[in-house]
Amino acid sequence: MQNPYTYRPIARMSELRSVCNVDQETLNYIFKNLSKYYRTKKEEKFGEDGTQRRDSQGKLLFRTLTPSKGRIKFIQGCLNAHFQKVKFPESVHGSIKGKDYISNALAHVGNNSFFCTDLKDFFPGITCDKVFKALRKLRYPAHVASLITKLTTYENKLPQGAPTSSIISNIVMWEVDKELIEYCNRNKLVYTRYIDDITISAKHKVAQAHIDYAINVLAKSGFKISRAKTYLKHGSAEITGCMARKRGISATKKLWKKLQDPKRSNSSKKGVQVAIDRIRKTNAISLQRPHKKSGASSS
């Protein structure tokens, strides 16, 4: 893999401590007491209609979050800023400065066929071993890569809710993104990834062969798709919280329902209105300039 790092990787432990603004004694204490620096909380999973999802037995579904806290959260914030120096492909939109779920959807404007999928158990599926190997490919020395892995993983996985998890996942996904980008470029498709949401679109039909290829690439890297969140749409599609159409993007019906929900607090509605306004503004700006496809120059 070509090194995408725009500055030289951290080469020494002293340099890593400087980046994280931490001394060795504090690090030693953190590693001996990792459980003190994480908390677990459950978050409801909601469906398209806004109601909480249930499994096949009728049980309510929850997402388990493990956000960091205290000193390690501060250290992870420093590492997150450090990893922003990595020049990721244009097709990657999650946890990248200047990009978000809106830019991800905007990349597919002008197309007519959309394949959308979600990677199942994405963060829990990224193990310490995957993180370490990905850092080594970025030319981090083994001892530095090992320490960064310890600082950004918990219980042998990326903790969902930690400041570094999304950016580390981008590093781990580098080879997968690269292979899918190259394939999509050859087949006149547009590929984007926003954290665990993958979209492939085209002016023509996204063929089953294209879908099978993408699923196989993900599978050989240890990632599975969520069948419940996988679909092929034509004409328009919901992509990372926005409706993507040939002529632009707009807010989803789900967002409008949230705004009109009498049970929702005013502060919550204000946040929804901000999201709708951002989508409108971004779309208006994009219509004023030639649109550039993400899949076309993301090597």
Side-chain angles (χ1 to χ4, degrees):
M1 178 179 69
Q2 183 182 1
N3 185 19
Y5 199 68
T6 55
Y7 299 85
R8 67 175 181 82
I10 296 170
R12 298 179 302 277
M13 296 294 288
S14 58
E15 190 178 353
L16 178 60
R17 290 193 294 268
S18 177
V19 167
C20 296
N21 194 21
V22 66
D23 56 57
Q24 190 60 50
E25 184 179 351
T26 302
L27 283 177
N28 293 339
Y29 180 83
I30 289 173
F31 292 143
K32 289 179 181 178
N33 300 275
L34 266 182
S35 61
K36 291 183 178 181
Y37 293 92
Y38 291 91
R39 60 190 178 92
T40 300
K41 67 175 184 177
K42 288 189 175 182
E43 187 178 82
E44 299 94 337
K45 288 187 176 183
F46 291 97
E48 294 295 320
D49 59 357
T51 60
Q52 190 173 353
R53 289 169 54 197
R54 296 175 181 269
D55 63 14
S56 56
Q57 280 75 47
K59 294 181 180 180
L60 293 171
L61 292 176
F62 294 87
R63 178 183 293 104
T64 301
L65 304 179
T66 316
S68 54
K69 59 181 181 179
R71 188 65 173 174
I72 201 167
K73 183 177 180 180
F74 170 81
I75 291 170
Q76 289 169 345
C78 295
L79 286 171
N80 182 49
H82 169 77
F83 284 123
Q84 291 293 331
K85 298 173 185 176
V86 176
K87 187 178 180 182
F88 292 100
E90 277 188 48
S91 295
V92 178
H93 291 260
S95 196
I96 307 292
K97 190 174 181 180
K99 293 185 177 184
D100 57 14
Y101 69 99
I102 299 176
S103 65
N104 183 75
L106 195 63
H108 299 275
V109 167
N111 285 343
N112 296 308
S113 184
F114 308 88
F115 169 70
C116 304
T117 191
D118 177 277
L119 298 181
K120 190 174 182 180
D121 299 324
F122 184 55
F123 289 117
I126 298 178
T127 62
C128 295
D129 184 58
K130 285 184 177 180
V131 173
F132 176 78
K133 287 179 178 177
L135 290 170
R136 292 290 286 134
K137 286 182 178 179
L138 278 185
R139 301 178 188 172
Y140 281 82
H143 61 293
V144 175
S146 177
L147 189 57
I148 293 176
T149 300
K150 289 180 181 178
L151 287 168
T152 57
T153 59
Y154 180 59
E155 295 182 341
N156 195 36
K157 58 181 178 286
L158 284 183
Q160 194 163 352
T164 42
S165 290
S166 292
I167 196 81
I168 291 290
S169 73
N170 287 342
I171 296 172
V172 171
M173 287 290 288
W174 182 272
E175 294 289 353
V176 172
D177 289 330
K178 183 172 180 282
E179 185 170 351
L180 290 176
I181 288 166
E182 290 175 351
Y183 176 82
C184 288
N185 284 346
R186 291 195 303 270
N187 291 277
K188 297 181 180 180
L189 306 166
V190 176
Y191 167 85
T192 64
R193 182 177 59 80
Y194 178 76
I195 316 296
D196 57 353
D197 289 299
I198 289 176
T199 306
I200 296 174
S201 69
K203 291 184 183 300
H204 51 84
K205 182 181 179 181
V206 178
Q208 187 61 47
H210 301 324
I211 295 171
D212 292 342
Y213 184 90
I215 292 173
N216 288 335
V217 169
L218 293 164
K220 74 180 183 181
S221 297
F223 296 102
K224 296 179 180 179
I225 66 168
S226 172
R227 296 289 176 182
K229 297 181 180 180
T230 298
Y231 52 88
L232 178 63
K233 291 282 186 73
H234 302 289
S236 65
E238 181 178 340
I239 301 173
T240 53
C242 303
M243 287 303 301
R245 297 181 175 85
K246 192 171 183 179
R247 292 288 299 165
I249 58 171
S250 61
T252 61
K253 289 182 179 179
K254 189 192 301 183
L255 270 179
W256 287 110
K257 283 183 179 180
K258 286 181 179 180
L259 189 64
Q260 297 161 3
D261 185 356
K263 297 179 182 179
R264 192 171 287 270
S265 67
N266 288 333
S267 60
S268 178
K269 286 184 178 181
K270 185 177 180 181
V272 173
Q273 185 64 63
V274 168
I276 292 172
D277 290 343
R278 283 191 60 226
I279 293 170
R280 281 175 168 170
K281 183 178 179 180
T282 303
N283 184 59
I285 293 172
S286 73
L287 292 175
Q288 294 172 8
R289 61 191 181 203
H291 187 63
K292 181 180 180 182
K293 292 296 180 189
S294 285
S297 58
S298 303
S299 57

